[in-house]
């Protein structure tokens, strides 16, 4: 049971580590999510784009754990942006997840496509998000893959500020400018791919620190985020690794080693930038 929490600007508390669900239901079943619940995860990050909301609902129902003890976060996709579309998107997501509220709802990407008038579309979409928050259908509203110039457009034109922004963050890819902007605006940053899709696990510094702290390389990556006050959303299909990642809260990286990790050479990234065509 995780006790430690991150607090959002509206006072809501999230567990320090959540479970990322992208591609965890490729077999079209609830098995991996069920294993994650058994491993102790309480927070599940999904998106309409992942196509797995119904499996998460199934896993929670099978677990017998009450909905109130679980945190559910989802995102509306590029094709669901705009005021009316967003309303339909939330209703569909709530139906898929078998719930009448979300703990967090986000806009998945700032630009529906590179040619669209994204500033206007983001503001319209955010108007719907604010209504969802005010109606109690979602306990927090946020963004995903938004950079400072995208967030600023929302902040300049909104009543309710975003509470969360989700970014790709791991050692060797820390998006300092975006993270600093979020912190200055009291926006909790969440990290997708906090272990760099396992690519970063053989880096010499990460291996050195894993040995020093009697931890696994993945634990160094997950705890690195937590020590940066960023909420990591690691993914795994393996129950031992799921637990290992949760237990990274027990690893205490010294300030000196944290600085070394925070300033290490770039280790690559997932290749998705909101203002560019996909690299891969
Ligand atoms: P697996 O599902 O076999 O555990 P990210 O969350 O950064 O996108 O990384 C997910 C990848 O990292 C998956 O390939 C996952 O593989 C692997 N992974 C997750 N946890 C660990 C761990 N503790 N040790 C090694 N690899 C891990």
């Amino acid at each position: 049971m995780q006790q430690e929490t991150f607090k959002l600007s509206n006072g809501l508390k999230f567990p320090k580590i959540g479970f990322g669900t992208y591609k965890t239901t490729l077999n079209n079943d609830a098995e991996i999510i069920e294993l994650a619940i058994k491993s102790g995860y309480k927070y599940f990050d999904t998106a309409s784009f992942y196509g797995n909301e119904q499996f998460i609902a199934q896993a929670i129902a099978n677990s017998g754990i009450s909905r109130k003890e679980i945190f559910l976060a989802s995102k509306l996709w590029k094709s669901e942006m705009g005021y009316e579309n967003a309303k339909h998107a939330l209703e569909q997501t709530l139906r898929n997840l078998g719930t009448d509220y979300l703990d967090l709802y986000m806009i998945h990407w700032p630009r529906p496509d590179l040619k669209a008038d994204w500033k206007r579309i983001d503001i319209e979409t955010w108007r719907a998000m604010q209504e969802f928050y005010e109606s109690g259908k979602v306990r927090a509203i946020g963004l995903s893959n938004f950079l400072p110039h995208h967030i600023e457009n929302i902040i300049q034109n909104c009543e309710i500020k975003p509470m969360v922004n989700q970014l790709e963050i791991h050692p060797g890819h820390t998006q300092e400018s975006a993270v600093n902007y979020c912190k200055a605006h009291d926006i909790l940053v969440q990290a997708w791919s906090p272990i760099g899709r396992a690519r970063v696990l053989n880096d010499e510094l990460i291996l050195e620190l894993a040995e020093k702290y009697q931890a696994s390389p993945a634990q160094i990556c997950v705890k690195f985020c937590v020590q940066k006050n960023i909420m990591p959303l690691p993914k795994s299909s393996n129950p031992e690794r799921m637990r290992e990642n949760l237990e990274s809260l027990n690893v205490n990286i010294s300030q000196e080693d944290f600085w070394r990790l925070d300033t290490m050479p770039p280790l690559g990234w997932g290749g998705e930038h909101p203002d560019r065509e996909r690299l891969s």
Side-chain angles (χ1 to χ4, degrees):
M1 177 82 180
Q2 295 172 56
Q3 303 293 344
E4 294 183 72
T5 55
F6 282 118
K7 200 169 174 183
L8 274 58
S9 58
N10 67 346
L12 190 61
K13 290 178 182 164
F14 284 168
K16 282 223 157 154
I17 299 176
F19 190 74
T21 68
Y22 183 45
K23 292 190 175 168
T24 52
T25 49
L26 287 183
N27 294 336
N28 278 339
D29 62 34
E31 193 188 339
I32 291 179
I33 309 296
E34 285 178 14
L35 290 171
I37 295 175
K38 283 196 188 116
S39 301
Y41 288 89
K42 296 276 185 237
Y43 185 107
F44 295 87
D45 176 76
T46 183
S48 60
F49 180 73
Y50 301 170
N52 65 11
E53 291 170 325
Q54 68 277 26
F55 300 119
I56 295 174
Q58 201 181 314
I60 294 169
N62 292 347
S63 75
I65 297 179
S66 114
R67 164 70 184 94
K68 288 202 187 76
E69 284 185 52
I70 299 275
F71 294 81
L72 287 176
S74 194
K75 317 178 190 83
L76 61 80
W77 186 239
K78 295 174 183 180
S79 56
E80 295 169 321
M81 293 172 77
Y83 179 75
E84 286 301 328
N85 285 349
K87 289 209 262 188
H88 294 300
L90 177 65
E91 290 312 317
Q92 186 60 49
T93 277
L94 290 173
R95 264 197 302 279
N96 290 345
L97 284 167
T99 183
D100 55 6
Y101 75 96
L102 293 181
D103 295 281
L104 172 65
Y105 199 37
M106 290 163 275
I107 305 178
H108 206 144
W109 289 92
R111 300 173 70 143
D113 66 64
L114 294 185
K115 295 200 184 84
D117 178 3
W118 62 269
K119 288 192 174 178
R120 182 185 55 77
I121 295 167
D122 283 6
I123 293 166
E124 268 182 34
T125 312
W126 194 253
R127 189 157 60 88
M129 300 293 268
Q130 294 179 138
E131 286 183 18
F132 303 155
Y133 181 69
E134 277 169 342
S135 71
K137 284 184 180 171
V138 303
R139 296 172 78 204
I141 46 178
L143 308 168
S144 172
N145 301 298
F146 276 56
L147 299 175
H149 51 292
H150 307 123
I151 308 174
E152 187 72 11
N153 173 51
I154 301 266
I155 287 185
Q156 293 296 331
N157 293 285
C158 73
E159 308 283 324
I160 305 171
K161 274 172 50 167
M163 294 146 200
V164 170
N165 186 32
Q166 197 175 113
L167 296 165
E168 179 182 358
I169 309 267
H170 48 77
H173 185 67
T174 49
Q175 305 217 46
E176 263 339 285
S177 170
V179 169
N180 289 341
Y181 178 94
C182 290
K183 288 192 174 161
H185 288 88
D186 209 3
I187 296 171
L188 175 72
V189 178
Q190 296 183 324
W192 60 264
S193 270
I195 36 192
R197 301 201 169 138
R199 238 186 9 254
V200 306
L201 300 179
N202 289 322
D203 173 79
E204 60 183 56
L205 176 62
I206 293 174
L207 287 173
E208 177 200 319
L209 297 183
E211 194 177 337
K212 174 172 174 181
Y213 292 99
Q214 299 283 293
S216 72
Q219 287 180 319
I220 297 293
C221 295
V222 173
K223 190 57 191 287
F224 167 73
C225 280
V226 174
Q227 288 189 214
K228 278 178 84 67
N229 286 319
I230 290 174
M231 178 180 168
L233 303 166
K235 300 186 283 290
S236 178
S237 52
N238 172 292
E240 272 173 33
R241 293 197 281 276
M242 289 172 183
R243 268 192 293 278
E244 179 182 308
N245 296 343
L246 262 189
E247 285 165 7
S248 57
L249 284 180
N250 301 328
V251 180
N252 287 310
I253 304 170
S254 74
Q255 183 65 60
E256 183 181 331
D257 289 332
F258 172 80
W259 279 327
R260 291 171 70 207
L261 274 174
D262 209 19
T263 54
M264 70 191 294
L267 282 183
W269 59 308
E272 288 187 73
H273 188 287
D275 293 333
R276 303 274 179 100
E277 295 289 350
R278 266 197 86 161
L279 284 179
S280 50

